Amino acid sequence: MMLFKELNRGKCKTYLISCEISKTAALIDPLKEHTDRYTAILAYFGLKLDLIIDTHTHADHRSGTFELKELLGGRVVMHRRAPAPRVDVHVDQGDCLDLGDLKLQVLYTPGHTPDSISLSAGDRVFTGDTLMIGGTGRADFAGGDAGAEYDSIVKKLFALPDKTIVFPAHDYRGHICSTIGAEKSSNPRLVGRSRADYIHIMNNLGLPLPDKIQEVLEPNQSALDDDAIKFPALSQLNQVQQLEPSEVARRLNSPLPPILVDVREGDEFIGELGHIAGSRLIPLRELSQRASDLDQFKSTEVVTICRAGVRSTTAAAILTALGFEHVFNMKGGMLDWNDAGLPVEKMN
Ligand SMILES: [Fe+2]
């Protein structure tokens, strides 16, 4: 028994799925501008919001996940590679989310972004911006990878039964749904294309960046509003020098080790990923006000750190603009540091 609706009736899709026995609901890819509408719909059907899921970090609209959680409760769900703080449930390939009697199976489908997931529930699959109807998600910014996207679609989504109904996060031509079988046989980006063909097509689409991409992307990546922090411009972010975790570890063992500034929230600092010994915790939203604490290090090497290396790129650009001369970002953040097997501390 399942209640299912698309709630936006526009190019951006938000899906409501709920278990009619437990009266618990999930919202997939809610928009910040429509949180009032979602709240009213949930109340009308007498549903309790349990799962608030973003299929990836969106670049074209502000996510409503954190606002909905504040208003209604529920758990924010994203892939473990998602850069934002305050995600309650980090998921990965093969995980299963319970929604009353319903089960949502997580497929890790990177490519459009490094944190893209699809969700398979009974006879349908929510494909985010990985597989769209007669199209696929662009892979040319925000960590996109066309080869990874091809593998996600061909090896994971096309392994689902042909009759599986496909519900994407976007459609620009008025379609509502498709099937895996229909996309296999007629999606023009994929039919008869090798992986190399696909990469060539996707890397030469020549599309302009989405309108207001930075105004949308940075708040979604940091779960901060732009009245809480002044975000750097794209040109400033692009100039940030990146260091692999192994290189950070090497420099920490040198005679003049860098200063480490960890810009996550306090609970992340002592959470599952831990932190690097000796790092200073200054959450991103406090960085501009507290940068004077670091004044003595203006001529020292400073390495900024966060979960996935995204918020800390913002932090590195902010410190550089404040006159710090040798700022680096640790690429891939504490996720890549942990994946490299480098040592962490988990206590304050
Ligand atoms: Fe997207």
Side-chain angles (χ1 to χ4, degrees):
M1 292 284 281
M2 177 172 83
L3 175 75
F4 176 73
K5 284 185 179 303
E6 195 286 309
L7 302 181
N8 300 335
R9 299 188 195 157
K11 292 170 181 167
C12 255
K13 310 290 185 186
T14 296
Y15 300 102
L16 165 69
I17 178 168
S18 79
C19 165
E20 296 222 78
I21 297 164
S22 64
K23 294 281 182 189
T24 50
L27 285 173
I28 301 174
D29 292 325
L31 311 189
K32 187 171 183 185
E33 68 201 76
H34 290 331
T35 48
D36 289 353
R37 177 190 296 188
Y38 308 144
T39 304
I41 291 169
L42 291 163
Y44 177 80
F45 287 106
L47 299 171
K48 177 162 174 44
L49 185 58
D50 182 10
L51 302 172
I52 317 165
I53 307 170
D54 264 335
T55 55
H56 61 287
T57 302
H58 295 284
D60 64 327
H61 65 261
R62 289 290 305 277
S63 168
T65 47
F66 296 101
E67 189 156 290
L68 284 163
K69 182 188 166 171
E70 270 178 44
L71 287 169
L72 303 175
R75 298 172 287 163
V76 174
V77 180
M78 290 188 81
H79 185 259
R80 69 184 288 268
R81 284 266 153 204
R86 297 194 275 135
V87 172
D88 300 296
V89 185
H90 281 115
V91 292
D92 206 346
Q93 172 68 27
D95 287 347
C96 182
L97 296 162
D98 288 321
L99 181 69
D101 283 0
L102 304 178
K103 299 213 178 297
L104 302 179
Q105 293 284 347
V106 177
L107 302 168
Y108 179 41
T109 49
H112 175 60
T113 63
D115 63 354
S116 290
I117 56 171
S118 298
L119 297 151
S120 157
D123 62 354
R124 58 202 64 200
V125 62
F126 302 94
T127 53
D129 286 353
T130 303
L131 176 63
M132 304 204 278
I133 300 171
T136 59
R138 60 192 294 184
D140 56 344
F141 62 80
D145 179 333
E149 184 166 72
Y150 182 86
D151 294 338
S152 293
I153 295 169
V154 170
K155 293 182 182 162
K156 291 186 181 157
L157 295 171
F158 282 2
L160 296 168
D162 278 357
K163 62 181 191 303
T164 309
I165 310 167
V166 171
F167 290 99
H170 286 96
D171 186 85
Y172 302 97
R173 287 165 287 189
H175 303 299
I176 291 170
C177 62
S178 178
T179 64
I180 290 293
E183 294 309 312
K184 261 188 204 170
S185 62
S186 67
N187 189 309
R189 291 247 173 101
L190 296 155
V191 174
R193 312 272 193 208
S194 67
R195 189 176 191 276
D197 295 339
Y198 185 79
I199 293 169
H200 182 76
I201 293 168
M202 297 306 286
N203 288 346
N204 291 282
L205 290 177
L207 298 169
L209 288 177
D211 286 348
K212 298 187 176 174
I213 174 171
Q214 281 314 108
E215 289 92 324
V216 167
L217 199 48
E218 289 186 88
N220 284 348
Q221 289 168 336
S222 62
L224 290 174
D225 279 317
D226 37 17
D227 54 4
I229 176 176
K230 185 173 175 343
F231 287 108
L234 184 58
S235 58
Q236 293 172 286
L237 295 174
N238 287 341
Q239 284 166 20
V240 171
Q241 299 184 75
Q242 305 283 339
L243 295 180
E244 296 288 342
S246 57
E247 176 58 19
V248 174
R250 193 190 66 75
R251 292 188 188 197
L252 285 171
N253 286 319
S254 70
L256 276 175
I259 301 303
L260 305 180
V261 179
D262 192 317
V263 300
R264 293 175 296 164
E265 299 296 311
D267 58 339
E268 298 178 274
F269 192 73
I270 53 170
E272 49 159 0
L273 297 175
H275 57 265
I276 303 172
S279 49
R280 291 168 162 75
L281 173 65
I282 306 182
L284 179 60
R285 65 192 147 72
E286 299 172 12
L287 184 62
S288 296
Q289 292 83 357
R290 291 178 55 192
S292 54
D293 297 357
L294 303 170
D295 267 352
Q296 58 181 304
F297 305 117
K298 276 203 160 153
S299 304
T300 313
E301 281 193 358
V302 174
V303 177
T304 55
I305 297 165
C306 69
R307 177 180 177 84
V310 174
R311 276 177 278 162
S312 53
T313 297
T314 298
I318 289 172
L319 288 176
T320 300
L322 289 171
F324 289 79
E325 293 167 27
H326 306 290
V327 186
F328 300 86
N329 177 55
M330 188 168 88
K331 199 167 169 239
M334 289 306 292
L335 283 165
D336 279 5
W337 177 275
N338 274 266
D339 287 354
L342 293 162
V344 296
E345 288 191 346
K346 296 198 175 178
M347 303 295 282
N348 252 330

